[in-house]
Amino acid sequence: MSQHRVQVSASILDSDLANLASESRRALSAGADRIHLDVMDGHFVPNISFGATLIRRLRAIGDQPFDAHLMISEPSRYMDQFISAGCDSITFHVEVEEPIEPTLLKIRRAGRLAGLAIKPATPLSALDPYRELVDIVMVMTVEPGFGGQQFMRDAALKIDAAHEVFRDRPGERPSAREVHVDGGVNDNSANLCGRQGIDILVVGSVLWKAGVDIARRIESLKSLADEGYRESRFAGEAE
Ligand code: DX5
Ligand code: ZN
């Protein structure tokens, strides 16, 4: 049970992948609210991780929310697999070179949250055509592909404005309205993310370093982000 407003989605990319189920349980029992699953195809990004089959098997750990982050060139081609694997939210990149709208609609029709991620150099305006179709905006604060990189402050400054993407048209289904920040989140960057009004911190490598007390690390990140959030323009808004 978390007293915090800001939630943590634990990225298991840099965990002990030979023991993924126990690593995921360890993060969840230490206070992570969800699991963030980084799927890479060696084409959209210069790295290969894992796919839908692994996610399907990992579902056996329980019903905690699974956020899939697809760093792949053809999300449409594989979307049925990620839906049936049991992902609760599925986020792919706005930079893909294929039609985006049908894939977002497919995710929502399956009753899952649909997200778009933007690379550090991509302006938020790239999301304009999809404003009514997204539940999650994922602001990347590193170049996607690897954990353990340096947080890019300039990219994080898009978080505040990212909330504007969710203006629903009258009569439309209100989205879940979540802004996620992904990449380089640590004790030095969590406060800034909070001041920008972040909803979900994606946290990877800092959880998995040898000797880290994961519960203390998560508690510290949430507290720093909450402190920042109280200074944000969103403070006091009904949740
Ligand atoms: C990077 C991934 C991230 C990454 C986060 O491409 O999308 O989710 O694993 O790891 P850290 O927190 O180490 O940047
Ligand atoms: Zn990610």
Side-chain angles (χ1 to χ4, degrees):
M1 260 278 289
S2 172
Q3 324 275 325
H4 296 283
R5 186 201 171 275
V6 176
Q7 293 195 358
V8 163
S9 193
S11 159
I12 44 75
L13 186 64
D14 281 349
S15 72
D16 177 3
L17 294 178
N19 294 292
L20 208 41
S22 64
E23 292 285 77
S24 302
R25 285 198 194 95
R26 194 152 73 95
L28 290 165
S29 62
D33 302 281
R34 311 133 170 249
I35 299 294
H36 175 100
L37 298 144
D38 288 305
V39 175
M40 305 181 187
D41 65 355
H43 185 261
F44 184 78
V45 289
N47 196 7
I48 298 175
S49 58
F50 48 78
T53 311
L54 180 137
I55 296 175
R56 186 191 311 277
R57 297 296 293 269
L58 193 61
R59 247 325 3 161
I61 67 166
D63 56 8
Q64 292 86 353
F66 274 14
D67 296 327
H69 174 197
L70 308 186
M71 288 160 274
I72 64 178
S73 298
E74 297 179 281
S76 63
R77 184 167 170 188
Y78 300 101
M79 195 48 68
D80 287 332
Q81 293 183 29
F82 288 101
I83 290 169
S84 79
C87 302
D88 298 280
S89 76
I90 304 175
T91 295
F92 61 98
H93 274 262
V94 73
E95 298 89 359
V96 296
E97 290 171 8
E98 63 167 26
I100 286 176
E101 180 168 334
T103 307
L104 291 171
L105 285 170
K106 177 177 253 192
I107 299 170
R108 275 193 164 182
R109 262 191 236 111
R112 318 301 164 87
L113 299 180
L116 284 175
I118 52 170
K119 291 184 185 181
T122 304
L124 273 174
S125 57
L127 302 178
D128 283 350
Y130 314 110
R131 292 165 70 112
E132 288 84 28
L133 301 174
V134 291
D135 304 298
I136 291 172
V137 173
M138 190 173 290
V139 175
M140 295 297 301
T141 39
V142 297
E143 283 303 328
F146 300 91
Q149 302 181 77
Q150 183 85 28
F151 182 78
M152 295 166 76
R153 195 175 181 282
D154 288 354
L157 300 179
K158 289 186 281 189
I159 294 171
D160 181 296
H163 290 84
E164 305 305 322
V165 171
F166 300 124
R167 284 220 194 100
D168 296 298
R169 286 184 180 149
E172 291 213 348
R173 175 180 98 110
S175 73
R177 295 190 170 83
E178 287 180 354
V179 180
H180 296 215
V181 61
D182 187 10
V185 173
N186 59 26
D187 280 358
N188 297 320
S189 48
N191 184 272
L192 170 64
C193 296
R195 274 185 279 135
Q196 290 279 314
I198 199 64
D199 300 306
I200 312 286
L201 301 172
V202 176
V203 186
S205 54
V206 296
L207 300 180
W208 308 113
K209 296 212 172 87
V212 164
D213 179 334
I214 300 184
R216 284 180 65 170
R217 180 49 56 88
I218 289 177
E219 175 62 28
S220 154
L221 290 167
K222 286 183 178 178
S223 300
L224 288 162
D226 277 355
E227 227 170 78
Y229 192 87
R230 286 192 284 275
E231 292 167 33
S232 77
R233 70 182 168 103
F234 307 100
E237 269 184 15
E239 280 162 28

